[in-house]
């Protein structure tokens, strides 16, 4: 079934897919259906051997202005517990291929959390990142207190979470939250360029390297190093390792197949 709130483009030649959040009338507020469609789309792209990297964007005005407040406002704690809306986020987190967020305009609440769930963030100079949940009587619920703190440190995360203050793209860049800032006209192009740069690498090595970097967030150094080493050794079972090293020795560009 065609998703109602997403537009999906796939560039077969470059192995890059692009998912655009498409609920502009509500600044791409992340309702349950949109998140479920996103989970399904990412699962399908993750399983598609033609796809090696995925760009996730909104539109110029908003990446996403957070979870859908209209949908949540009247709910009880038991409704929230039973619906367990963040379980879709757990599924999205399992995406093995690299995800690059292309952010312009608002990335607030769940929108900021969704961008942080991606592996890299390219932002337009109009991007604004924030966790304003405190202003509506709640707090971040999809990773904002954890991923933001790890990305930009306690002092800055605490201020954003406790005051709801937005930060600009330049501030986010200086704080280490995002990878780069571009003029508005170029943010999507720049994100796709970054995705293409990753997509020419060995897809297996990319997936295992992503997995190892993410391991750094929830393991001790010793465990993380052990995990990294196992993935490094494991890659020697791949044809891409043979091809990559042979191509280096023959002074030519490698042709990786993901095998
Ligand atoms: N949920 C539902 N609808 C939203 C929304 C949201 N998070 N954000 C914006 N909208 C809707 C508005 O209600 C409005 O709809 P109508 O035209 O039907 O009234 C439309 O999008 C345009 O928004 P505004 O008129 O408010 O636009 P603005 O330019 O004046 O303000 C804004 C933009 C500052 C982003 C403001 O919309 C805003 O503060 N939005 C809410 C941001 C927020 O609190 N996000 C956190 C949500 S909770 C969360 O995300 C929990 C979590 O951890 C997952």
């Amino acid at each position: 079934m065609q998703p109602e709130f997403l537009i999906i483009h796939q560039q077969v030649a470059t192995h890059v897919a692009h998912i655009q959040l498409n609920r502009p009338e509500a600044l791409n507020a992340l309702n349950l259906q949109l998140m479920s469609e996103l989970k399904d789309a990412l699962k399908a792209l993750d399983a598609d051997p033609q796809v090696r990297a995925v760009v996730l964007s909104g539109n110029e005005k908003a990446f996403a202005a957070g979870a859908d407040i209209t949908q949540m406002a009247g709910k009880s704690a038991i409704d929230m517990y039973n619906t367990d809306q963040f379980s879709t986020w757990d599924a999205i987190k399992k995406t093995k291929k690299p995800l690059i967020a292309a952010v312009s305009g608002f990335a607030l609440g769940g929108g900021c959390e969704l961008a942080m769930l991606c592996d890299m963030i390219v932002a337009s100079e109009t991007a604004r990142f924030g966790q304003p949940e405190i202003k509506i009587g709640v707090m971040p619920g999809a990773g904002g207190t954890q991923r933001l703190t790890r990305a930009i440190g306690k002092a800055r995360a605490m201020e954003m979470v406790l005051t709801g203050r937005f930060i600009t793209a330049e501030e986010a860049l200086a704080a280490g939250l995002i990878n780069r800032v571009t003029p508005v006209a170029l943010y999507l192009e720049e994100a796709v360029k970054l995705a293409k740069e990753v997509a020419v690498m060995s897809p297996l090595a990319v997936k295992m390297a992503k997995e190892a970097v993410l391991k750094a967030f929830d393991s001790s150094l010793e465990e993380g190093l052990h995990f990294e080493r196992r993935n490094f050794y494991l890659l020697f079972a791949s044809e891409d390792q043979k091809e990559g090293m042979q191509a280096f020795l023959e002074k030519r560009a490698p042709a990786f197949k993901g095998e």
Side-chain angles (χ1 to χ4, degrees), residues 77-241:
I78 300 302
D79 293 334
M80 293 300 283
Y81 177 80
N82 283 335
T83 311
D84 195 12
Q85 69 191 61
F86 297 133
S87 59
T88 48
W89 295 65
D90 297 337
I92 292 171
K93 195 178 85 172
K94 290 193 183 131
T95 307
K96 290 191 167 172
K97 291 174 185 170
L99 294 179
I100 297 164
V103 176
S104 184
F106 299 114
L108 305 177
C112 185
E113 289 165 316
L114 183 59
M116 291 192 291
L117 195 60
C118 294
D119 304 305
M120 292 183 266
I121 303 175
V122 173
S124 90
E125 56 201 4
T126 63
R128 295 290 177 271
F129 296 85
Q131 297 290 160
E133 292 90 341
I134 201 78
K135 294 182 177 172
I136 53 169
V138 287
M139 58 176 278
T145 63
Q146 303 303 301
R147 291 200 177 91
L148 188 65
T149 307
R150 280 168 168 77
I152 69 175
K154 176 185 161 187
R156 283 182 285 217
M158 198 65 97
E159 185 175 337
M160 285 176 70
V161 170
L162 298 189
T163 70
R165 188 175 84 80
F166 302 165
I167 59 170
T168 64
E170 284 302 337
E171 284 177 289
L173 183 67
L177 182 64
I178 66 174
N179 294 73
R180 61 197 66 163
V181 182
T182 72
V184 186
L186 296 179
Y187 79 100
L188 188 56
E189 194 180 317
E190 187 66 26
V192 170
K193 198 168 129 201
L194 185 57
K196 284 182 187 165
E197 212 176 314
V198 176
V200 296
M201 306 299 169
S202 159
L204 275 172
V206 166
K207 282 194 269 188
M208 287 197 202
K210 163 174 169 166
E211 200 179 20
V213 172
L214 290 177
K215 194 78 182 165
F217 290 97
D218 59 10
S219 65
S220 67
L221 178 61
E222 208 46 47
E223 262 181 89
L225 288 170
H226 181 68
F227 187 85
E228 175 193 78
R229 191 172 304 178
R230 294 294 289 268
N231 276 6
F232 181 79
Y233 292 156
L234 188 55
L235 285 169
F236 282 71
S238 71
E239 283 180 26
D240 283 349
Q241 174 269 328

Side-chain angles (χ1 to χ4, degrees), residues 239-256:
E239 283 180 26
D240 283 349
Q241 174 269 328
K242 308 285 176 260
E243 165 64 8
M245 293 194 178
Q246 198 55 39
F248 174 81
L249 296 174
E250 292 170 8
K251 301 190 188 305
R252 61 173 172 84
F256 294 122

